[in-house]
Amino acid sequence: SDDIVNGYGVRIASDSPGTFTALCSYNNDLVAFKRDSITIISGTNPINYNAVVMNGIGCISPRSVAVTPNGIIFLSYRGFYIYNGSVPQCISTKLNTLYTSAVSGFDGNIYYASAKRINGETELLMFDMRYGLWYKADDISANGFFRFCNEFYVCDNTTLYKLNGATPNDW
């Protein structure tokens, strides 16, 4: 039938140890994360698939991954990183804190991360992509971020918040 779409399935062996933690699409590539590596899979069908593995940096929290126009932001052991097709770069050095997990979202300008510190405390972080600045906004332990009717929201266990991209001082 003309309605059937032909697809491909392929198994790509990974040279790095461990299981995959996250997966996303970026610049027509498939980006597969492990805790200590990133595998970039490119190509249009099994005949020309190519997999490149970058060891040393990976994603420890699958819900921290957000695709932005500037690259993929994710949480690693060493902080928040951005991958834009080159070597991943740490963008959270100035936070001077390590996190164990994060739930994130991107509103078009700001990357939001409800991140859990090593001591168990959670804080809502905002990374303004326009200026490269971080803000600590609140202690929301988010379950998820989402867009609805051109607005951006976050929810915790009991409350739904509309985020307006303002700095924490404007909340």
Side-chain angles (χ1 to χ4, degrees):
S1 160
D2 292 335
D3 295 333
I4 296 175
V5 177
N6 292 323
Y8 296 102
V10 65
R11 181 181 184 118
I12 296 179
S14 174
D15 292 337
S16 60
T19 59
F20 289 102
T21 58
L23 185 68
C24 68
S25 172
Y26 183 70
N27 283 347
N28 297 317
D29 292 336
L30 182 62
V31 181
F33 294 91
K34 289 187 177 183
R35 294 177 75 77
D36 292 315
S37 68
I38 302 171
T39 302
I40 298 89
I41 303 160
S42 58
T44 56
N45 65 56
I47 295 171
N48 67 0
Y49 282 158
N50 183 42
V52 175
V53 178
M54 290 186 288
N55 289 306
I57 294 294
C59 178
I60 64 169
S61 186
R63 294 183 65 203
S64 70
V65 175
V67 178
T68 75
N70 295 357
I72 305 165
I73 299 178
F74 61 94
L75 180 62
S76 82
Y77 286 116
R78 297 183 207 137
F80 288 93
Y81 276 71
I82 190 164
Y83 167 75
N84 62 9
S86 184
V87 176
Q89 299 294 314
C90 184
I91 58 173
S92 64
T93 305
K94 291 185 178 184
L95 292 174
N96 201 27
T97 304
L98 294 178
Y99 300 91
T100 59
S101 65
V103 175
S104 72
F106 180 68
D107 74 356
N109 290 313
I110 295 174
Y111 170 82
Y112 293 89
S114 178
K116 184 181 276 188
R117 293 172 155 221
I118 290 176
N119 67 6
E121 294 176 7
T122 301
E123 56 193 7
L124 180 63
L125 303 170
M126 300 166 57
F127 181 67
D128 191 321
M129 301 287 291
R130 298 165 294 188
Y131 307 108
L133 297 174
W134 284 97
Y135 301 96
K136 292 181 183 179
D138 206 317
D139 61 356
I140 294 172
S141 181
N143 290 330
F145 293 83
F146 64 97
R147 181 171 300 288
F148 178 72
C149 293
N150 294 322
E151 300 290 347
F152 196 68
Y153 297 87
V154 61
C155 66
D156 61 15
N157 287 334
T158 60
T159 309
L160 176 66
Y161 303 92
K162 183 170 107 176
L163 301 172
N164 62 4
T167 62
N169 296 333
D170 297 330
W171 285 34

